[in-house]
Every structure is written in C-alpha cells, then in structure tokens.
Amino acid sequence: MTSLPPARCCTVGSLHEGEPKGELRNIGNISTYFAYPPDKSTEKALLILSDVIGHKFVNAQLIADEFAANGYFAVLPDLFYSDTVPLNRPEGFQIMEWLKNHMPEHVEPIIDTVLAEMRGPLGCKRIGGVGYCFGGRYVARYLRPGTEKLDVGYTAHPTMMSPEELAGIKGPLSIAAATKDFVFTTAKRHESEAILAKLDVPYQINLYSHVDHGFSVRCDMSVKEQRIAKEGAFAQAVQWFDSYLKA
C-alpha cells in the first residue's frame, strides 16, 4: 500500500468552532450534507469523501461550507450508513473490526448513487473529489475524467491507498501530507512520488510540518503551526480545483 490502514490517529483531534450553513437531505437513503456557492450554481461541484468520523462531523461540514464560499457546490455524503467512529474514540474501540463493514464493496455503491444524482438531477457538469483520510483512496479509485466519475482529485493524508489504485488515476491529483504521519508515512509518501512520476497526469504533493495525520480536518486551531498547515492545505485544494476543475 502507498498508505497504511487506519490507526488511532485517524480518530483523534479537536472539534472546531463554527455554525454550519448548509443543509442535510437524503439522496435515496443516503444522508448528505449540501453546501451551495453564493450563485447557487451546481455546475462545478466537489464530492467530499470524509474521514471515519463522517458527514455530520462539524469540522467536515465547515470545510464543505468553505469550499462553497469559494464557488463550488459541495456534497458530503454519509459513507457509513450512520456507523461512524466517534471523535476521540472510546478506549478499546477496534477500528480494524469496524473497517470490515466499510470496504469498497460497501462504500462504492454509496459513491455511485451520489455521483449519479450529481451528474443527473443536480446538474453537476464537472466534479472534483476531495478525500480526507478514509476517503482518500476513493478519490484515486474514481479519478477517471471523461467518465461518470471524478474529473479532478485532491486528498489529504490518505489511508489504505494501494499502489495499483494510485497508479490507476487518469486525472490531476493533489496530495497534502504531514511530516508526522504513521499512516501516510515518509516512506509511503516517497513511494507515492515514484508512482506519480511515471504517470502522464498533473500532480503535486505538498508537505506540512508540525502536524500529524488528520491535520487538515481535526487539528488544534489554537496552535499556530497546526492552524497554518490546515489553512495551507485547504488553499492548496482550492488552487488545484480552480486550475483544473473551473478552467
């Protein structure tokens, strides 16, 4: 794998302040958070694939709102049918046992349903994928411009992404990485760089210091270095989508 399986670092972090501005509605039986840009257009859209804490996590919803404020229709679905992992999970929680019920055969039908709704009734013409931690590998698996999948991809500190998944991307991919990451480790990051260097697609990997796995969603905003890294990783994503999705 170019990133390792989930670990405790995938579930710990800080709750961020703010009041989400979007709305929760269902796509079929999939609870989904929607955030609209100022002009209410749905043509340029982002499918946000969350970490294991899920789509009702305030931090994730605030990120969706930020993307919307930058001109994107943001769609954040429940990838787990409400079986999410609590922030700062209880002692003894076995994430690998939990993971058995949330493998690609469980998750991809959800993504397929949401993408069909976005490409159809919601009127999305171009769709970028944003993957945090757990969601990162699915950005790679779905990054197939010219199909009914994703046109552009961004992921921060991905988990469980295989070399084959990364090597199979067909469109632009941006990755945000942490220096202290026990899942997307330095060795795995270098492996990813070697794979991407062989592909004929635009890519970037930005490295942020003084932060751990999960920083782009769950960092401690009271710590200057962590806040700067989180804001930088978000700006990285916006710049990438502005360049490759809007253009």
Side-chain angles (χ1 to χ4, degrees):
M1 287 188 177
T2 56
S3 57
L4 297 173
R8 185 175 184 276
C9 57
C10 296
T11 66
V12 298
S14 300
L15 187 66
H16 295 166
E17 295 181 358
E19 187 69 30
K21 299 176 182 178
E23 57 188 39
L24 281 168
R25 302 198 309 269
N26 277 17
I27 295 176
N29 63 344
I30 302 163
S31 177
T32 305
Y33 182 82
F34 297 90
Y36 287 82
D39 64 2
K40 304 300 181 184
S41 172
T42 61
E43 291 190 359
K44 301 295 189 295
L46 297 178
L47 174 59
I48 303 175
L49 304 173
S50 73
D51 62 18
V52 299
I53 302 169
H55 77 302
K56 290 187 177 179
F57 186 30
V58 168
N59 296 15
Q61 294 182 353
L62 292 174
I63 289 171
D65 290 350
E66 286 187 80
F67 278 122
N70 279 274
Y72 295 96
F73 173 48
V75 178
L76 171 64
D78 178 8
L79 301 178
F80 312 106
Y81 285 120
S82 298
D83 183 29
T84 54
V85 179
L87 179 66
N88 300 320
R89 71 188 196 203
E91 191 69 31
F93 181 86
Q94 299 297 319
I95 194 166
M96 295 309 294
E97 283 299 311
W98 172 89
L99 189 64
K100 291 178 181 178
N101 294 318
H102 304 289
M103 298 301 288
E105 61 267 28
H106 307 109
V107 176
E108 291 191 345
I110 296 172
I111 297 174
D112 291 339
T113 297
V114 173
L115 279 172
E117 183 78 6
M118 293 175 73
R119 295 280 184 189
L122 290 173
C124 304
K125 293 186 177 179
R126 286 177 59 76
I127 302 175
V130 178
Y132 294 109
C133 304
F134 177 93
R137 74 180 299 200
Y138 294 96
V139 170
R141 290 172 70 93
Y142 276 77
L143 188 47
R144 305 289 188 275
T147 69
E148 296 302 301
K149 296 186 177 182
L150 298 174
D151 298 298
V152 182
Y154 165 86
T155 179
H157 33 78
T159 63
M160 295 187 68
M161 186 185 295
S162 73
E164 294 76 17
E165 288 167 342
L166 184 59
I169 67 169
K170 302 299 182 184
L173 179 66
S174 177
I175 300 174
T179 52
K180 298 184 290 182
D181 194 329
F182 295 104
V183 176
F184 191 50
T185 63
T186 299
K188 294 299 182 183
R189 173 164 46 83
H190 290 167
E191 181 183 354
S192 299
E193 292 170 5
I195 291 170
L196 290 168
K198 297 176 182 177
L199 304 182
D200 188 25
V201 297
Y203 70 90
Q204 69 176 178
I205 300 180
N206 290 6
L207 182 63
Y208 296 88
S209 72
H210 295 84
V211 285
D212 304 297
H213 183 83
F215 76 94
S216 64
V217 180
R218 305 185 302 273
C219 75
D220 185 344
M221 295 291 279
S222 69
V223 178
K224 179 180 179 180
E225 292 84 358
Q226 294 188 32
R227 183 180 71 254
I228 290 171
K230 178 189 183 300
E231 292 171 350
F234 180 79
Q236 172 187 338
V238 171
Q239 186 272 338
W240 194 252
F241 290 123
D242 284 353
S243 298
Y244 289 104
L245 194 69
K246 280 186 177 178

